[in-house]
Amino acid sequence: MEKLDTVVVGAGVVGMAIAAKLSENQDVLLIEQNAQFGEHSSSRNSEVIHAGLYYPTDTLKAQLCVRGKALLYQHCDKYHVPYLKIGKILTAKTACEAETLHQIECQAQLNGVTDLKRVSPSHIQHYAPEIQATEALYSPSTGIIDSHQFMRSLLTKLEQSQGHYVANTQFLGAQQTQDGYIVELNCDGEPFQLHCRNLINAGGLFAQRNAMLIEDLDDSFVPELHYCRGQYFSYQGQHPFTHLVYPVPEQHGLGIHATLDLAGQLRFGPDTHFISSLNYQIDDREKNKFVHAIKQYWPALDETKLQSAYAGIRAKTTRSGTQDFTIQTSDTHGCQGLINLFGIESPGLTASLAIAEHVHSSTL
Ligand SMILES: Cc1cc2nc3c(=O)[nH]c(=O)nc-3n(C[C@H](O)[C@H](O)[C@H](O)COP(=O)(O)OP(=O)(O)OC[C@H]3O[C@@H](n4cnc5c(N)ncnc54)[C@H](O)[C@@H]3O)c2cc1C
């Protein structure tokens, strides 16, 4: 039976970042069930490099977003991945929202984000013409990235070191041995077995299902999975936006915000909608909700130029309260060499390289 150091299940941005990092000093095999990498959450998001403003102190999100942002900008420079440090304006319209902005400012400081600027009401139009707000914060270290090129660069890094990537290969299960795992795969319709010392489950929306297929893992360590769809509408036409514009965050997401891609295309979203099955269908009936939300900060919106675009699905482990990333090592579940990643929702793209560092330190 073929033997190697590590198998990483799932070629989304997180699995790819982990595989690329581990391949610096291990034999790594990265597997993907689909024909292409990154077809799920990693290609269905806002492509925003988050600054790390909101996440509560001492959470993995706070720690790994801020560290991940720094690593990501360095990586983009090194591997020529297109990005723009475009900045974002966070807006408030009421006294209650202004209080939330103040709390975000304090939380950002605690998270080590020290570059936030208060924008005086008379300057808001300078940053964001046509935007209606009474108070605003400006985050200069927020950016946008070409996430596909980022994933390509991770694959290049993996393949330049000791790593291999195979598509059309599904993880079917694993049994623990004295020194690792026997992993069962379906490679393009053919069954295949191999042995690895470390098994990393970065399956995103399938991570819970994968974990249930690992024989010696106690199911009680597998958290719930709730699909939370977020859809986007794109804006066809000229617009005044040169920075990203966000309202204050809501319970399960960051609110219907305005983002730009690297070509300057404006889009709005994502909203939040819990669904019962994995379904990326977009719903045109949501348009009224979008129009209402956008007009709160951009009253001049021409709604005839708003067209439904695409949807992504957040891997939530809870329907209530804030959720953190869950990264379980043997310290949690007792299975040596096994790492399960659950609930890697936003800011998982930003944090991916820091998640990889975190996982690397657990496999040494
Ligand atoms: C609407 C939305 C907006 C977002 N916006 C942002 C943002 O602006 N900035 C940011 O930082 N983050 C954002 N995120 C979060 C970010 O997109 C995710 O955190 C990140 O893409 C998760 O990557 P992943 O690799 O964990 O999961 P995925 O991209 O879902 O990849 C998991 C992969 O594993 C594969 N897989 C699963 N099981 C198996 C198996 N048994 N065998 C083989 N392969 C398997 C799947 O096919 C899939 O390709 C957003 C997310 C959503 C949903």
Side-chain angles (χ1 to χ4, degrees), residues 29-99:
L29 176 68
L30 169 66
I31 62 162
E32 170 54 49
Q33 62 191 356
N34 293 334
Q36 304 290 333
F37 59 80
E39 284 188 350
H40 287 281
S41 304
S42 299
S43 58
R44 297 173 163 276
N45 56 56
S46 305
E47 296 188 298
V48 172
I49 301 175
H50 287 295
L53 315 179
Y54 313 98
Y55 315 110
T57 313
D58 292 335
T59 57
L60 282 175
K61 280 189 179 180
Q63 187 192 321
L64 300 177
C65 182
V66 174
R67 172 77 184 144
K69 173 184 65 173
L71 291 173
L72 189 51
Y73 282 128
Q74 281 168 23
H75 177 98
C76 289
D77 286 335
K78 183 168 176 190
Y79 289 89
H80 309 291
V81 176
Y83 75 91
L84 271 178
K85 224 182 238 186
I86 191 174
K88 105 172 173 188
I89 288 277
L90 196 55
T91 61
K93 276 188 64 187
T94 61
C96 178
E97 289 182 356
E99 176 52 31

Side-chain angles (χ1 to χ4, degrees), residues 93 132-133 291-299:
K93 276 188 64 187
Q132 202 171 67
V291 170
H292 177 76
I294 299 163
K295 283 194 168 174
Q296 298 297 311
Y297 52 87
W298 188 30

